[in-house]
Amino acid sequence: MLSKQTVRKAAIVSTLLAIVSNVFIFTFPSIHPTRCSWHCSSSSTTGETVAPEALALWEKALFYAKRYVSDVVYQTLQAEEATDEGDIHMMAFGDPQIKGIWPNTPYRSRLDIFGNDHFLGHIYSTMSKRLHPDYVVVMGDLFSSQWIGDSEFYNRTRRYVSRLFHRDTTPLEAIQRENHDEDGLYKVDWDAWGKQFEREAQNNTFQFGFQDIHSWDPQRDEFLMVNLTGNHDVGYSGDATYQHLARFQQIFGKDNYWIEYNAGTDKAWRIVVLNDLLLEGPALQPEFVQYTWEFLYQLFERNFDGSTVLLTHIPFHKEEGLCYDGPELRYYPEVFEREPYKANLLRSQNHISEEVTNKVFNLVFSNDKPGIVLVGHDHEGCEVVYNRFNDQGEWVAAKDTVEGADYHLKEVTVRSMMGEFNGNTGLLTGHFNTNQKQWEWTFTLCPFAIQHAWWFAKAAALVAGFVWSLYIVL
Ligand SMILES: *[C@@H]1O[C@H](CO)[C@@H](O)[C@H](O)[C@H]1NC(C)=O
Ligand SMILES: *[C@@H]1O[C@H](CO)[C@@H](O)[C@H](O)[C@H]1NC(C)=O
């Protein structure tokens, strides 16, 4: 028999657990206050303050507890974070890869998927409330598979929009009203899209450029949202079809574009969004690869005099051992019975090939202004520096800057926001150094926790509520 006394104890314990775990999930950035904030030029280092080595364990614990509490207090009292006026604040999320629900998906997995969506949404909302980004970039692989139909693509977008990024779904519904099959389910008219694409290719009228855009929809958003293509969204070049590209562009926007800011001034800089899945082949639709190169040539011809932030999905070439993934390009076999038309085509790639990497960097970073590259794809995350040697026109990746190189470019592989990788948010700060008249870019990674921490907090709150009700009725 349950005694009222026992129930009371259980209620108190579960309430305490619920409070602690919920405080944790809503204040997780305070555990790493520096890594989870924009870089501030007044602090000379990008590292966290750390406890001196000599301290005893309990003293270290006290040190970190103090650091955490003081950040929580600061965040609660302070309405605005301390940053430098005019800095650029970009939040980058690596590969959310949300999975789909099918008629035969077991209930347990459905629950996991539901929880995972809200776990990712919790990271986004906590971080954006804390830091008010100017740009939010999702580094590609929004979904977990390129082998899905239009209706499933639409359904996952709905979850992406509403659960992950807490956005209004009306624009999406309007798209579905205009593009559907006889059952009213979303269906892209890729044939019409293809004809338009061909017309633009023939007349060379692709529109790639924008100026000073701070929001696609200023009524709705105070920031600019950029969705990159990933291999799971549009496929590698051996897989990418008109259907893939048409629906991505219809729902998530262009796959190749630049936005120039403050052009013609000292503070000129630009965002370059590149669909690097369609840079090399052999491709299923070689015209897509041509179109990507057309974009890069037009970009180059702008002779833009400013700093560049390059955003793309597949990392650039580097030797084995520098990052988690080594270089690898795989091709469909000569004889491929399942889909014979794919024989010999590019099947997957960990990196852009060496030759194409040199070519892209020479086109995008031709002006010697400081820049940075953010990529996704490998989930583990990594930072390398490309060192350019002018005499060879080659870019050599290394852990750090190499002496004698003529130009340095950092590439950050943004660690995934998935729970298995601890739910990360990448933070890129651009600061204009008025003495040097140059933009300086600083990247930090803010981890959250495995998705079970989020589940625990939610479950603990439910359990506490239940046990208190039991206590009342007993
Ligand atoms: C997408 O969602 C709609 C509405 O909930 C549903 O009728 C449809 O079957 C879903 N599509 C797929 C492929 O499951
Ligand atoms: C990126 O996707 C979101 C959600 O669909 C959308 O609101 C936003 O406008 C998209 N960005 C572009 C450039 O279309």
Side-chain angles (χ1 to χ4, degrees):
M1 208 24 226
L2 272 180
S3 79
K4 199 154 177 151
Q5 207 51 28
T6 323
V7 175
R8 197 179 122 90
K9 274 187 196 148
I12 291 171
V13 170
S14 58
T15 303
L16 282 177
L17 286 175
I19 291 172
V20 170
S21 56
N22 279 281
V23 167
F24 164 70
I25 70 165
F26 285 100
T27 59
F28 74 84
S30 297
I31 294 174
H32 303 282
T34 312
R35 285 168 66 187
C36 298
S37 300
W38 302 118
H39 181 63
C40 206
S41 62
S42 52
S43 68
S44 53
T45 60
T46 55
E48 212 76 73
T49 51
V50 287
E53 271 303 313
L55 295 187
L57 198 58
W58 71 269
E59 288 171 314
K60 279 189 186 161
L62 193 65
F63 177 93
Y64 290 115
K66 264 194 195 151
R67 188 179 79 177
Y68 165 74
V69 171
S70 67
D71 191 74
V72 172
V73 171
Y74 177 79
Q75 290 295 329
T76 319
L77 301 181
Q78 194 94 359
E80 281 293 309
E81 74 271 28
T83 54
D84 299 312
E85 183 75 21
D87 278 7
I88 297 162
H89 294 149
M90 187 180 286
M91 218 170 241
F93 293 104
D95 307 51
Q97 281 193 215
I98 58 175
K99 296 195 182 90
I101 291 175
W102 307 102
N104 60 355
T105 306
Y107 279 98
R108 174 65 221 277
S109 315
R110 289 175 190 236
L111 190 63
D112 276 348
I113 288 171
F114 173 85
N116 191 55
D117 286 356
H118 290 285
F119 163 82
L120 299 173
H122 177 78
I123 297 173
Y124 167 71
S125 68
T126 308
M127 292 304 288
S128 60
K129 270 186 205 126
R130 174 182 169 101
L131 295 175
H132 312 285
D134 310 318
Y135 303 88
V136 173
V137 185
V138 187
M139 303 305 303
D141 282 1
L142 319 176
F143 307 151
S144 73
S145 171
Q146 63 271 48
W147 318 114
I148 57 179
D150 290 347
S151 167
E152 177 61 19
F153 189 85
Y154 177 86
N155 290 359
R156 282 195 217 182
T157 310
R158 258 197 89 91
R159 286 163 45 202
Y160 176 87
V161 169
S162 60
R163 293 183 185 167
L164 272 64
F165 294 100
H166 311 294
R167 294 165 72 72
D168 182 5
T169 52
T170 29
L172 197 57
E173 281 144 18
I175 293 176
Q176 176 165 252
R177 270 198 301 281
E178 299 290 311
N179 301 272
H180 59 78
D181 62 10
E182 55 279 14
D183 299 324
L185 299 178
Y186 172 71
K187 185 172 191 305
V188 69
D189 186 353
W190 56 263
D191 189 48
W193 181 89
K195 293 207 172 93
Q196 172 74 15
F197 177 86
E198 272 161 23
R199 261 196 307 278
E200 290 185 19
Q202 249 159 33
N203 306 329
N204 204 356
T205 50
F206 289 122
Q207 295 292 320
F208 293 122
F210 299 93
Q211 300 286 333
D212 299 300
I213 308 266
H214 296 279
S215 169
W216 299 116
D217 183 356
Q219 311 262 300
R220 218 169 256 163
D221 295 328
E222 289 176 351
F223 61 88
L224 184 98
M225 182 151 182
V226 176
N227 315 291
L228 299 186
T229 47
N231 50 290
H232 283 311
D233 312 309
V234 300
Y236 293 101
S237 82
D239 303 320
T241 58
Y242 278 82
Q243 183 193 12
H244 281 122
L245 221 53
R247 68 190 186 189
F248 188 92
Q249 291 198 356
Q250 182 161 68
I251 289 185
F252 291 112
K254 287 178 186 288
D255 56 339
N256 289 307
Y257 56 95
W258 66 77
I259 310 175
E260 296 175 349
Y261 296 92
N262 317 324
T265 72
D266 279 352
K267 293 191 173 175
W269 73 284
R270 65 180 174 182
I271 291 177
V272 174
V273 173
L274 172 67
N275 179 2
D276 71 351
L277 292 148
L278 292 166
L279 271 179
E280 49 195 317
L284 185 61
Q285 306 290 349
E287 61 275 32
F288 291 165
V289 173
Q290 260 173 27
Y291 144 81
T292 314
W293 285 103
E294 177 59 30
F295 164 68
L296 286 170
Y297 294 136
Q298 287 194 24
L299 180 88
F300 175 73
E301 279 159 17
R302 296 206 49 88
N303 277 322
F304 184 70
D305 188 20
S307 187
T308 299
V309 178
L310 173 62
L311 306 171
T312 193
H313 180 68
I314 305 271
F316 289 92
H317 173 79
K318 54 188 73 68
E319 296 287 315
E320 183 85 45
L322 275 171
C323 293
Y324 185 77
D325 279 343
E328 184 186 71
L329 285 100
R330 289 170 58 230
Y331 301 88
Y332 284 107
E334 185 90 48
V335 182
F336 189 57
E337 274 170 24
R338 185 155 51 96
E339 293 162 300
Y341 60 97
K342 287 193 180 170
N344 298 323
L345 300 183
L346 181 59
R347 187 174 197 161
S348 72
Q349 58 188 141
N350 281 348
H351 293 165
I352 298 303
S353 70
E354 184 169 13
E355 190 198 332
V356 173
T357 295
N358 287 324
K359 234 174 131 180
V360 171
F361 284 170
N362 285 332
L363 289 169
V364 179
F365 297 97
S366 58
N367 67 10
D368 277 2
K369 293 280 167 102
I372 190 161
V373 185
L374 301 189
V375 298
H377 194 52
D378 94 343
H379 301 173
E380 295 286 340
C382 191
E383 291 189 18
V384 298
V385 177
Y386 284 89
N387 298 272
R388 189 185 70 206
F389 295 92
N390 286 352
D391 44 348
Q392 293 121 1
E394 268 178 23
W395 298 72
V396 182
K399 266 283 148 228
D400 218 325
T401 52
V402 172
E403 219 175 302
D406 299 286
Y407 177 82
H408 308 286
L409 176 66
K410 181 179 264 191
E411 180 204 61
V412 178
T413 307
V414 180
R415 191 170 160 82
S416 169
M417 81 184 300
M418 287 188 272
E420 301 95 289
F421 300 91
N422 288 337
N424 301 281
T425 307
L427 300 175
L428 179 69
T429 309
H431 177 70
F432 190 74
N433 181 326
T434 37
N435 297 329
Q436 311 234 351
K437 297 213 178 313
Q438 282 189 343
W439 285 100
E440 292 166 347
W441 302 100
T442 315
F443 181 88
T444 61
L445 193 70
C446 171
F448 173 29
I450 189 161
Q451 65 271 36
H452 306 105
W454 180 89
W455 273 114
F456 184 86
K458 299 290 154 185
L462 281 178
V463 169
F466 172 77
V467 182
W468 277 117
S469 334
L470 193 66
Y471 175 71
I472 290 164
V473 299
L474 269 182

